[in-house]
Amino acid sequence: MSHLNEDQMDDLRANLEAERDSLEEELAEHGRKENRDWQGTSGSQGAEPDPNDSADNIEELSTNIPLVEELEKRHKEVGKALGKMDGGTYGICEGCKKLVPFDRLEANPAASFFGEALHFLSREKERVSYQSGAPPD
């Protein structure tokens, strides 16, 4: 972490903590926590006697479930970055073990890859997505 000074680390930590808090608010707005994972929910719970209310709940769920999945994914990335800060390994690329430049971390404080490792990871995700028929992230 010697490539980051104390002010940079403080700023990055503050940004990560603010993002974590914001994500938790959004997750609570669109889902509920079950054990350690978040689940997308609709505004009302229980049996719906009105078919229109049921259709609205289904529509809301079809929006909230993928949204909660993306929010939860980012929440885990932010938590992982904060854990790395506490453990002294923040700012080190998980792929090549080189130091992640400050400008990359400033743009995305939860970044754990950069350069060739990031490029390789992106290509690998595209390859797996193509093989499975799923659209890329």
Side-chain angles (χ1 to χ4, degrees):
M1 287 193 313
S2 62
H3 72 296
L4 301 172
N5 66 41
E6 189 175 337
D7 287 340
Q8 290 171 326
M9 285 294 289
D10 289 344
D11 288 345
L12 291 167
R13 179 178 292 279
N15 289 342
L16 284 165
E17 289 173 346
E19 184 176 1
R20 178 197 58 206
D21 295 346
S22 175
L23 287 165
E24 288 173 356
E25 286 178 21
E26 284 189 74
L27 281 163
E29 185 178 321
H30 298 286
R32 70 174 178 273
K33 195 166 191 173
E34 292 183 10
N35 298 321
R36 301 178 95 172
D37 294 323
W38 286 87
Q39 305 296 319
T41 61
S42 65
S44 70
Q45 302 295 320
E48 299 294 331
D50 182 355
N52 290 327
D53 289 341
S54 295
D56 289 345
N57 284 338
I58 291 169
E59 183 178 353
E60 189 173 358
L61 278 172
S62 69
T63 300
N64 285 348
I65 290 172
L67 174 62
V68 166
E69 287 172 355
E70 285 301 312
L71 292 170
E72 183 179 28
K73 178 181 171 187
R74 181 64 181 175
H75 186 264
K76 287 178 181 179
E77 291 170 354
V78 168
K80 185 177 177 181
L82 287 166
K84 286 181 173 186
M85 280 186 166
D86 295 339
T89 59
Y90 179 75
I92 300 171
C93 177
E94 290 181 14
C96 65
K97 307 300 182 211
K98 293 180 182 176
L99 300 177
V100 178
F102 175 69
D103 58 346
R104 168 97 171 109
L105 294 169
E106 190 173 37
N108 177 9
S112 30
F113 292 92
F114 87 106
E116 278 301 310
L118 180 62
H119 183 67
F120 174 79
L121 184 64
S122 296
R123 283 194 329 250
E124 189 62 17
K125 279 185 178 180
E126 286 177 15
R127 183 186 66 77
V128 169
S129 177
Y130 176 77
Q131 288 178 342
S132 69
D137 288 340

